[in-house]
Amino acid sequence: MLLNINNKINITLCGMMGSGKSSIGRILANKLNYNFIDVDKIIEKEAKKTIKKIFQEDGEVYFRNLEEKITIKTLENKEAVVSLGGGAIVNKNIRNFVEMNSYNIYLKVDVDTLTKRLENSRARPLIYKKDLKTELINLIDKRKKFYQKADLIIQNEKNIIETTENIIKKIVN
Ligand code: S3P
């Protein structure tokens, strides 16, 4: 399959928690015969604890440093679809690396849909205790200028299979 991704060696998926990065990443990788890597999972493996526990025990600054180190190392791979953590793109070093070596796709999801999807999520440390919708609006506000720099922006409101097909239509020659 010949891909039209500007000679970039990986594909990254960015976007908010609940935007579908991991589910779509897995399907996309399968279709393209790429490896699938979920950065959050590698962080948990390396730290030997959940992200929630890292936030609770070591704090967000510690998590963001670990996220930087592991994301950049992950991007040294080739032919991988990489699901980035929702806040990764705010980090300048990660952003530079993503711009340099990966075709970055922003999965855009409306805040009401995100709120519904995340209502029962206890695993996400940034949102579990506050007014969810307001918290999501604040985070999106801070992050959208970075998300919008992606090479491709795809709306992912409904069906993940359809969304993956839309991505493939755009990147396969
Ligand atoms: C975060 C998103 C999470 C995880 C951490 C912080 C964020 O990843 O990295 O909880 O800042 O938005 P997902 O987007 O994969 O849930």
Side-chain angles (χ1 to χ4, degrees), residues 106-121:
Y106 169 31
L107 292 180
K108 196 171 177 195
V109 178
D110 174 84
V111 73
D112 287 316
T113 312
L114 280 181
T115 309
K116 273 197 210 105
R117 286 188 195 165
L118 293 168
E119 246 154 21
N120 296 316
S121 172

Side-chain angles (χ1 to χ4, degrees), residues 15-19 21-22 38 40 43 51 55 60 63-64 67 83-88 123-126 139 143 147:
M16 289 293 288
M17 305 162 241
S19 61
K21 298 176 299 253
S22 303
D38 185 333
D40 284 346
I43 293 174
I51 288 180
F55 269 74
E60 181 169 356
F63 170 78
R64 295 296 175 199
E67 180 179 47
S83 164
L84 300 171
R124 273 129 165 155
L126 285 182
L139 283 173
R143 295 174 176 178
Y147 289 150

Side-chain angles (χ1 to χ4, degrees), residues 43-44 47-60 62-63 66 122-126 128:
I43 293 174
E44 291 186 332
K48 299 191 182 65
K49 50 181 146 177
T50 61
I51 288 180
K52 189 174 173 184
K53 264 238 149 69
I54 302 175
F55 269 74
Q56 280 167 349
E57 292 176 1
D58 312 299
E60 181 169 356
Y62 179 88
F63 170 78
L66 196 57
R122 291 268 157 266
R124 273 129 165 155
L126 285 182
Y128 78 103

Side-chain angles (χ1 to χ4, degrees), residues 9 13 15 22-23 38 42 63 75 79 83 101 113 115 120 133 152 162:
I9 57 174
L13 294 173
S22 303
S23 352
D38 185 333
I42 313 246
F63 170 78
L75 289 173
E79 301 202 338
S83 164
N101 91 348
T113 312
T115 309
N120 296 316
K133 188 170 172 184
L152 178 64
E162 218 173 275

